[in-house]
C-alpha cells in the first residue's frame, strides 16, 4: 500500500523559509513521479512542483520559480520542498503526491501560514 505523510509546516512571517518533508512507504521516492500541491483557504488545490523518476527533471508553477526547490533522499525515501522568501500568497495546506500504477496518491497535508 502507498502511504505519504507530510510534515514541516508552520506559521512564519513573509521572507522566512520553511522545508517540508514527505515520508513515503509502498513506493520508492527516487524511482517515482512525485509532486507537491497546495490548497489556499477557500480555493481549489493547485500544482506547485514536480520531480520525475530517475534522471528526469523538475518543474514549478511560475509563482514559486526561484524561491522553491523540490528534492528527494534515497536513503530516507523522502520528498522535500525547500521554500524560501515566503509570501502571504503561499499560505495553504501542502500535499505530497505520487503518480503510481495509473493513480494519484495523496498525503494528509501540512499547513503553511505566512502572515505578518
Amino acid at each position: 500500500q502507498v502511504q505519504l505523510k507530510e510534515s514541516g509546516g508552520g506559521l512564519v512571517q513573509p521572507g522566512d523559509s520553511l522545508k517540508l518533508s514527505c515520508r513515503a512507504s509502498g513506493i520508492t521516492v527516487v524511482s517515482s513521479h512525485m509532486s507537491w500541491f497546495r490548497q489556499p483557504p477557500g480555493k481549489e488545490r493547485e500544482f506547485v512542483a514536480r520531480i520525475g523518476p530517475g534522471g528526469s527533471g523538475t518543474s514549478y508553477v511560475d509563482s514559486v520559480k526561484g524561491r522553491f526547490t523540490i528534492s528527494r533522499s534515497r536513503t530516507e525515501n523522502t520528498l522535500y520542498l525547500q521554500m524560501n522568501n515566503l509570501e502571504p500568497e503561499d499560505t495553504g495546506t501542502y500535499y505530497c503526491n505520487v503518480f503510481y500504477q495509473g493513480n494519484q496518491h495523496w498525503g494528509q497535508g501540512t499547513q503553511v501560514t505566512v502572515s505578518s
Side-chain angles (χ1 to χ4, degrees):
Q1 59 181 352
V2 177
Q3 290 187 310
L4 305 173
K5 185 174 178 60
E6 304 93 334
S7 62
L11 173 63
V12 297
Q13 295 184 346
D16 285 353
S17 296
L18 211 54
K19 188 173 185 177
L20 306 182
S21 298
C22 172
R23 297 182 183 274
S25 62
I27 56 99
T28 301
V29 166
V30 296
S31 301
S32 301
H33 193 146
M34 305 199 70
S35 301
W36 287 98
F37 287 73
R38 67 188 180 190
Q39 186 168 12
K43 300 181 180 179
E44 294 185 348
R45 189 176 302 184
E46 65 178 357
F47 165 80
V48 176
R50 173 179 295 137
I51 186 167
S56 58
T58 60
S59 63
Y60 302 87
V61 66
D62 286 346
S63 60
V64 310
K65 288 181 178 178
R67 299 189 297 118
F68 289 12
T69 303
I70 188 171
S71 63
R72 54 197 171 189
S73 169
R74 179 184 299 273
T75 56
E76 299 294 329
N77 202 35
T78 298
L79 180 74
Y80 301 102
L81 184 67
Q82 177 66 50
M83 305 184 294
N84 297 328
N85 195 24
L86 284 161
E87 304 170 350
E89 292 74 20
D90 297 317
T91 293
T93 304
Y94 283 68
Y95 297 91
C96 180
N97 169 274
V98 60
F99 183 70
Y100 182 68
Q101 294 186 335
N103 292 297
Q104 303 286 342
H105 300 265
W106 301 90
Q108 85 291 337
T110 185
Q111 177 66 216
V112 173
T113 302
V114 185
S115 176
S116 59

